[in-house]
Amino acid sequence: MRLTQIAQHAEDLDRAAEFYSRLLGSAPVAVFDPPGLLFFDLDGVRLLLERGAPSAVIYLGVPDVRLRVAELEAGGVEVVGAPHVIFHHDDARLGPAGADEWMAFIRDSEGNTVGLVSHAFDGGAPAS
């Protein structure tokens, strides 16, 4: 089974398009308004921002959480959870063996929480 789509609430599609375009580094792939649907492509998985969707927490992988959060915060994005190590991967079941999993949380333009995740070895360089 493959993940096809994630939906997230967005009241203002223009505002959400601007926020997620900056966050993801890419433009929306489709907008249907009405009925109020905005789509981004995340490596083959659709991110749907929809007026009628409930709020959810989505987690996005980034190369280096600490660097990305600093960039976003400098651009005015609210950080609701500073970057921190949440887990060390002793094996490769949920991430690269030997890596620390870093996570941080930001608030998107619509009030939703977005988690950012990266992996680093020995608390230092990001895992590739």
Side-chain angles (χ1 to χ4, degrees):
M1 191 176 303
R2 183 178 86 75
L3 180 63
T4 301
Q5 180 168 292
I6 298 170
Q8 180 68 293
H9 178 77
E11 197 59 39
D12 184 321
L13 294 185
D14 292 333
R15 182 176 60 207
E18 181 181 332
F19 180 88
Y20 278 91
S21 291
R22 282 195 341 246
L23 178 64
L24 302 173
S26 63
V29 294
V31 178
F32 302 100
D33 195 20
L37 308 173
L38 170 67
F39 290 91
F40 285 87
D41 177 56
L42 302 176
D43 293 327
V45 176
R46 295 184 307 237
L47 171 59
L48 165 61
L49 297 159
E50 176 185 5
R51 285 193 187 106
S55 181
V57 178
I58 61 172
Y59 294 80
L60 303 172
V62 297
D64 185 332
V65 146
R66 294 161 287 180
L67 179 62
R68 189 65 178 124
V69 165
E71 294 167 350
L72 292 166
E73 192 169 33
V77 173
E78 179 187 358
V79 176
V80 295
H84 61 285
V85 175
I86 62 151
F87 188 74
H88 178 78
H89 296 277
D90 291 323
D91 56 40
R93 285 182 293 166
L94 297 175
D100 289 330
E101 185 161 305
W102 282 78
M103 203 172 279
F105 296 91
I106 61 170
R107 183 95 52 224
D108 77 4
S109 63
E110 306 307 297
N112 302 301
T113 300
V114 177
L116 302 176
V117 181
S118 67
H119 296 99
F121 292 97
D122 298 322
S128 6

